[in-house]
Amino acid sequence: MHDVRGMEALDLAGRRVLVRVDFNVPLAAGAVADDTRIRAALPTIRAILAQPGARVVLMSHLGRPKGARRAELSLAPVAARLADLLGREVEMAPDCVGPEVERRAASLAPGAVLLLENLRFHAAEEAGDAAFARQLAGLADAYVNDAFGAAHRAHASTATVAEYLPSAAGLLMEREVAALGDLLAAPRRPFVAIVGGAKVSSKVAVFEHLLPKVDSMLIGGAMAYTFLAAGGTAVGNSLVEPDLYVTADALMRRAEQLGVRFLLPCDHVAAEAVAEDAARTVTAGAEIVDGGVGVDIGPRTVAAFKAAVAAGGTAVVNGPVGGFAGGAVGAAGTVMWNGPMGVFEVAPFAAGTFAVAEAVAACGGTTVVGGGDSVAALNAAGVADRISHVSTGGGASLELLEGRELPGVAALRE
């Protein structure tokens, strides 16, 4: 997992360096609304600019223009924000390929930064087109990929271009691959995985790949209702996937065979509807009465989940949990969290997700968090700086957790 070439393998002094970054950031009123991904790329950009005479050509996608030029998806606001963060001018190219872009790249002065226009204005980018990749490669002398969030895509800028230039992983890419590689290959024990989100179907492969590796699996979010219903527990009008009942049951049986503690919610916050002003109650147990919709894990589940990840903690769940008796869980050496515990975007239903964020941050072990909602919860709770590794790649980190090779990473292998 760790055998990607780092930038130290390249001589970047005096070179034009083509850097794939992930500047797919939210915009509002023509400005960057959240610069987290831009900040994540700064160490790599600064490290290259620290090389004598080096010049940087940055490239990224933004949104889904589907091969058409769309003014509202221009990277111009990103160039402005990046200039503020770097404390130097960032030139904005009119396109990402073509004679004018080639002229600008060739005339870059030492220490200069050029940001190419949105790669996805060209359909050839997502097609992984070789001719398009060669045009990009012609803008520079070396290639660095720091866009882990796009590493699961076999696009021209993330994989194909590496065939035409000396290539290496950026600092963010290296850190992501190392952290997730250690998580899967050599986790400190006990290894606790917390998995949430809406649907079991989106994470079946994650469950199958992680179950033989973890000691405990904690399940929250709407996907928990499919597991509970598969075990015969009434879940009211909660979101379920009936066609996944057999799969969910098989996963729980597999956990039992492996000796993995599989903890499902033992109580819930239930509401009449998924609305901020809806009446809500805390259930007495794992069942939700007819008409109720599960929107968050309940206080007893919060306590059990917090104890399962606490340093020196023990999780004791009174009564059966998803068909398995709750039991003691030792101090977590590694915690992996992906997915919210409830309808996180509705404020009254976010308490369980925030509680898990606090618990993971307080854990004395190695902690790895991925997924947009989970990361948002960390930031909202003010605890992101207490996490060992916060992954910037949603789909990319999920595919690694499924045991899949990422095209953007494979292109950088030693």
Side-chain angles (χ1 to χ4, degrees), residues 7 9 67 69 167 191 204 213 238 261 275 314 316 319 328 341 355 357 361 402-403:
M7 290 192 297
R69 180 175 287 269
S167 305
F191 180 6
V204 170
K213 303 176 185 297
S238 303
R261 296 181 179 88
T314 301
V316 178
M341 298 292 99
E402 292 172 0

Side-chain angles (χ1 to χ4, degrees), residues 101 107 149 153 278:
V101 177
S107 63
R153 306 300 189 192

